[in-house]
Amino acid sequence: MQTHINKIHEEKKDAQINSNIKQKRNTEGFYFKDNRPNNIAQKKLFRTQKTPIQMVKKKSLRARVREKLKKEGYESLTAREKRFAPPSVIETGAGEGRFSKSFRKKFGKNYVATDIANEEGPNGFLSFSKKIGVQTKFGVNANEISEKFHKGTIDRIVGANPFGVKGVGGASYGLSKENPGGSGKQRYLPDNRFLKSAKPLLRPGGSVELYGRSNMLRDAAVGNIPSTGKKGRRTKEEVQQVLKAKEKYEGSNANPYLTIAPDELHDLAKSTGYKVRVKRAKQPRNVLKGGNPDTIDGDEERAEKGLKPFNTRFSFIPEEDGYESDTDDPRIIYSDGEASDWEESSDEEI
């Protein structure tokens, strides 16, 4: 009997200790301090507050996913874990997502396709990306991409055919931006916004890759041909070399947002802290059909007015601390040779 009474006293004591109503004793007796929430807002907060144990569980799940991703790769994750996995590859300005299939095949499935549009809308932004199961993210301005992802977590930032709104200065991303009112070489000016914003996101060894129609390889090859004739003109032999270079590197109907002179590209890379490799690139074979035929063979009448299949790949690699370019380690390397696959060419230099 006594044991039973002692047990009841112990249970009451435990209940008092764990209660929200705290009992204290003073010289005049006992008084009670009620710590329970006293209004609706406080009650909601009280009910939804997570205990330290719950918070630890959530953190441990994210930490576990990151560690598993690092050790075993994306394919080892369960469907639930993939929801917590940060992307390692970002596609910028994906539009409908016609290149997402090719990029994901090259760079891996831990991949997100983004666009500046806020929703799919009637134009079907990111619709192709969704159909093939690619993770998507709306409302991502490529020129402010560092605000949307964690710094130092990305292996690759890739984009095909940087796009802009003609007639609106700055409404674009890429290597150049339109200069309304400008003419000739001043119509488009170098644009550092995208490269500058992308750099903080990259892990060590990461890079920014831009694919598109460009005259850069042709311009670089022509620029390497000297002018040793009278009054700084080229000799007949040098003129023939120029013609051969232009024949080798077809240069028509280039993407205006990749239109930049070799010396401007050098200055742009230096100001943003990159080393650059420029290669030939072939159009992906499995580009999904639809939308503006800028880079799709088929609708020849409209395609002639837009961009033709891309031919160039720009790779931007963050420079090392204290890097200074020289002849042995130039800031920009132009690679010659035919593209061996859609994304790259041989490494023979021009």
Side-chain angles (χ1 to χ4, degrees), residues 118-288:
N118 291 318
E119 58 183 10
E120 184 173 320
N123 292 320
F125 290 110
L126 300 180
S127 57
F128 286 128
S129 302
K130 287 182 179 179
K131 285 180 182 178
I132 61 172
V134 168
Q135 186 182 162
T136 58
K137 190 176 182 69
F138 289 101
V140 177
N141 183 343
N143 295 323
E144 300 172 356
I145 194 169
S146 61
E147 299 178 5
K148 298 293 185 179
F149 298 92
H150 295 294
K151 292 180 174 60
T153 63
I154 306 300
D155 292 323
R156 296 286 182 273
I157 299 175
V158 299
N161 291 326
F163 184 75
V165 180
K166 290 185 178 180
V168 182
S172 62
Y173 93 97
L175 306 181
S176 302
K177 60 183 177 182
E178 188 172 357
N179 178 27
S183 59
K185 293 184 178 180
Q186 294 299 309
R187 186 178 176 188
Y188 288 89
L189 302 175
D191 186 1
N192 69 356
R193 294 174 298 167
F194 169 58
L195 292 175
K196 187 176 180 181
S197 186
K199 188 180 177 184
L201 297 179
L202 298 175
R203 288 190 180 118
S207 66
V208 177
E209 316 276 348
L210 287 176
Y211 295 80
R213 186 82 173 174
S214 172
N215 300 333
M216 178 57 66
L217 288 169
R218 183 190 66 171
D219 293 346
V222 171
N224 284 337
I225 299 171
S227 299
T228 60
K230 293 180 179 180
K231 297 181 179 181
R233 296 175 182 173
R234 287 191 170 104
T235 63
K236 288 184 178 180
E237 292 79 9
E238 291 165 349
V239 170
Q240 287 300 315
Q241 292 178 38
V242 169
L243 293 175
K244 286 183 179 179
K246 289 185 175 180
E247 183 179 348
K248 183 176 182 178
Y249 301 103
E250 183 184 2
S252 60
N253 207 14
N255 183 324
Y257 308 106
L258 295 177
T259 299
I260 187 170
D263 59 333
E264 291 177 331
L265 178 62
H266 182 278
D267 293 342
L268 179 64
K270 184 176 181 179
S271 67
T272 51
Y274 289 94
K275 297 167 73 173
V276 190
R277 180 178 289 276
V278 186
K279 293 182 175 183
R280 286 187 173 187
K282 288 183 178 180
Q283 182 77 5
R285 292 180 290 274
N286 54 355
V287 173
L288 298 173

Side-chain angles (χ1 to χ4, degrees), residues 15-23 32-36:
Q16 287 175 352
I17 291 173
N18 297 323
S19 173
N20 288 312
I21 302 177
K22 302 300 179 184
Q23 186 181 46
F32 294 90
K33 183 179 179 181
D34 192 347
N35 290 329
R36 292 175 297 179

